[in-house]
Amino acid sequence: MVHPVSPYPSTTPLRSPGRPDRRPVPADREPARRLRRAGLGYLLAFALTAVGFVGTGAGQSLDGRLLPRAERGGGYEQPTDLVEPAGSVLAWFGDPAVLGLLLVAVLLLGVLGRRPWAGMVGVGLVGAAVVAASVAKQVILRPDLGVLTSTTHNSFPSGHVAAAMALLLAVLLVLPAPARPWCAVPGAVGVCTVAAATMIAGWHRFSDVLGGVLLAAALFCLAAAVLARAGGATRVGPAAVGFGPLGLLGPLGLLGGVPLLGLLLFAPSLTPYAASGGVGGFFVAIAAGSGFVVLVVATVLVLVRSVDFVGSTRAAGRFGSAGPRGGELPGRDTIPGRRLDGTGTTPGRWPGSETGRRGSGGAVPSRAS
């Protein structure tokens, strides 16, 4: 007995035997997933930095070798003429009026660039970074491990560095993708200046700078992932993204990466007060911290290279009328010539239509047959 062949085409996608049916990730959700994973990675790096530098004797000793305790006052202020300029930088950046004006500028950039949600998220990002840094200082305890150049006062992470880094990332959030690299270079220089000032003035250790940068980067990635997942982002082509200024970030990162590598290799041979004699010292800490800032900024630019955080109205129509919606498999409702209810076809438009189902006699079989 020969089974009759159905005149209607099957719309069930073919599957390989023994392999589960895995639907592809929608294109509009891929940036959110990438940013979410990066945010969790930055949080993990933040936790490892806290454990390594705050909770171990080797980490506390390394902080002490880089920024040794000054003999007067028992603090960490460095014996250099740069102390007064560093204090001026911190006083200016720590002024609530200055920080408020910078946040208003971020919000205005978002509104004028038709990215109001990104502007509000950017302002919230800076506030969240300051609050998170303050809470972390109270939660993280610095144990007494017998390190001569260390105290039990915890300053990890740096709130000034976290705020400066978050402010830069907030600006990148409200800018169009082609303009981000042009703003990232001077912004990274500004963050490096604030980070260096905190170490020169004796407000923070080297590890505090690393913690502030990582904390701000983690919050940025998580906030950007939520914004992208909510439909406030569109994908842009690689041709629309300009990476010309990133060529400047490479040498800057190299200048900081070389001292950082040398620091990790030769730190055990440094004496506790080597910085006062010009070996190692806070200049190495400044160079290494600056290189770390540039590295994280460049990584963030790569993460958001194909994402533009515009309003949800533009995000809703980013695919236009070409092709099925993102992540939708071709099925019964997406076959040309077939209505959404599955009844009726358009002649000559799809295999199995009326013109393709005529028998040898020219008769069109009905659905009842």
Side-chain angles (χ1 to χ4, degrees), residues 4-359:
V5 178
S6 173
Y8 303 103
S10 174
T11 60
T12 303
L14 298 177
R15 301 188 183 96
S16 301
R19 179 175 297 180
D21 182 17
R22 297 181 179 179
R23 299 187 64 179
V25 179
D28 55 345
R29 295 186 182 180
E30 181 58 31
R33 292 185 59 182
R34 182 174 66 245
L35 288 167
R36 183 170 62 250
R37 292 174 180 175
L40 296 178
Y42 281 128
L43 282 179
L44 178 60
F46 174 82
L48 294 177
T49 303
V51 172
F53 279 92
V54 179
T56 63
Q60 292 185 5
S61 179
L62 179 58
D63 268 336
R65 291 188 178 106
L66 289 174
L67 303 174
R69 179 185 304 179
E71 294 183 1
R72 64 180 190 275
Y76 282 87
E77 184 179 286
Q78 304 306 313
T80 174
D81 295 335
L82 297 176
V83 173
E84 185 175 353
S88 300
V89 170
L90 295 177
W92 177 83
F93 184 72
D95 189 351
V98 173
L99 188 58
L101 289 176
L102 293 175
L103 293 179
V104 170
V106 171
L107 192 58
L108 287 178
L109 283 175
V111 173
L112 295 178
R114 295 184 297 176
R115 297 170 179 83
W117 286 108
M120 289 185 287
V121 170
V123 172
L125 170 64
V126 178
V130 174
V131 173
S134 179
V135 172
K137 290 179 185 177
Q138 304 299 325
V139 174
I140 299 175
L141 301 178
R142 190 176 185 90
D144 186 2
L145 302 177
V147 180
L148 296 178
T149 56
S150 179
T151 64
T152 57
H153 172 68
N154 178 50
S155 56
F156 181 93
S158 171
H160 281 75
V161 175
M165 185 70 175
L167 185 63
L168 169 59
L169 298 179
V171 174
L172 298 182
L173 194 67
V174 299
L175 289 178
R180 289 178 193 145
W182 297 98
C183 180
V185 173
V189 173
V191 176
C192 294
T193 302
V194 173
T198 59
M199 292 187 287
I200 293 173
W203 288 18
H204 287 284
R205 305 174 176 92
F206 170 70
S207 60
D208 302 341
V209 172
L210 304 184
V213 172
L214 291 173
L215 180 61
L219 294 177
F220 167 81
C221 289
L222 295 178
V226 173
L227 186 62
R229 184 66 178 85
T234 60
R235 296 177 65 89
V236 295
V241 182
F243 283 91
L246 288 183
L248 298 177
L249 291 178
L252 291 177
L254 183 61
L255 290 176
V258 171
L260 181 60
L261 180 60
L263 180 65
L264 297 177
L265 294 178
F266 302 105
S269 62
L270 296 178
T271 60
Y273 296 97
S276 301
V279 180
F282 66 93
F283 286 111
V284 175
I286 291 173
S290 300
F292 187 76
V293 169
V294 172
L295 178 63
V296 174
V297 171
T299 304
V300 170
L301 286 176
V302 173
L303 289 172
V304 297
R305 66 189 182 278
S306 60
V307 185
D308 198 344
F309 297 96
V310 295
S312 58
T313 55
R314 288 186 61 188
R318 59 189 172 275
F319 289 105
S321 59
R325 295 183 296 271
E328 186 178 68
L329 292 175
R332 184 181 183 92
D333 297 341
T334 60
I335 297 177
R338 189 183 296 275
R339 294 195 295 265
L340 295 179
D341 57 0
T343 60
T345 58
T346 301
R349 296 295 182 88
W350 193 263
S353 60
E354 291 184 4
T355 56
R357 294 197 306 267
R358 296 182 182 274

